[in-house]
Amino acid sequence: MEKKRKKKKLKLRHIIICFLFGYLGLIFWNQRTLMKRLETKKQAIETEVKTLEMEIEGLNKEIEDSDSLQFVEKVARDELGMVKPREIIYIDKNKKKNPFLGTLKKHN
């Protein structure tokens, strides 16, 4: 009778140990998956930070140069469409994105 009890306890013990190892393996696998996901997210955020830092650096340089005459001329030409006296502008009608072409069509 005692041998049957020992065998039942032994089987129960084995089942509990197997369940415990399975549970621990599952936890380890979930942790690994989470770590990989967080690592890729971290890398994406780091690249975004580097890009934003470069953009900030460019904007700071632009702010420093904003007092110069070249900057004022660039803004006047690019954004406002201004030209120097006696300057001839050639418009390519085949070009789709021409800022001057859009202003000419509005006036005609």
Side-chain angles (χ1 to χ4, degrees), residues 9-84:
K9 284 185 181 180
L10 190 61
K11 285 181 182 181
L12 184 61
R13 208 179 282 164
H14 284 312
I15 292 172
I16 291 173
I17 289 172
C18 287
F19 177 74
L20 184 63
F21 278 122
Y23 182 71
L24 291 175
L26 183 64
I27 288 174
F28 178 73
W29 182 73
N30 283 337
Q31 288 290 324
R32 231 182 113 144
T33 306
L34 180 64
M35 289 297 288
K36 284 182 182 179
R37 195 173 341 132
L38 290 175
E39 187 66 33
T40 55
K41 191 182 262 188
K42 178 185 170 188
Q43 288 175 354
I45 290 172
E46 284 176 350
T47 56
E48 184 180 351
V49 165
K50 286 179 184 177
T51 305
L52 290 174
E53 284 175 348
M54 288 173 50
E55 187 177 330
I56 288 171
E57 190 176 307
L59 291 173
N60 284 335
K61 187 172 191 263
E62 192 174 311
I63 288 171
E64 289 173 6
D65 296 340
S66 66
D67 294 335
S68 69
L69 289 176
Q70 288 103 1
F71 180 78
V72 173
E73 182 180 345
K74 181 182 177 233
V75 170
R77 285 176 171 275
D78 294 343
E79 294 181 14
L80 302 175
M82 298 177 115
V83 294
K84 290 183 179 180

Side-chain angles (χ1 to χ4, degrees), residues 1-11:
M1 193 95 156
E2 279 185 38
K3 286 185 179 183
K4 286 184 180 182
R5 271 188 154 171
K6 283 185 179 181
K7 283 187 178 184
K8 281 186 180 182
K9 284 185 181 180
L10 190 61
K11 285 181 182 181

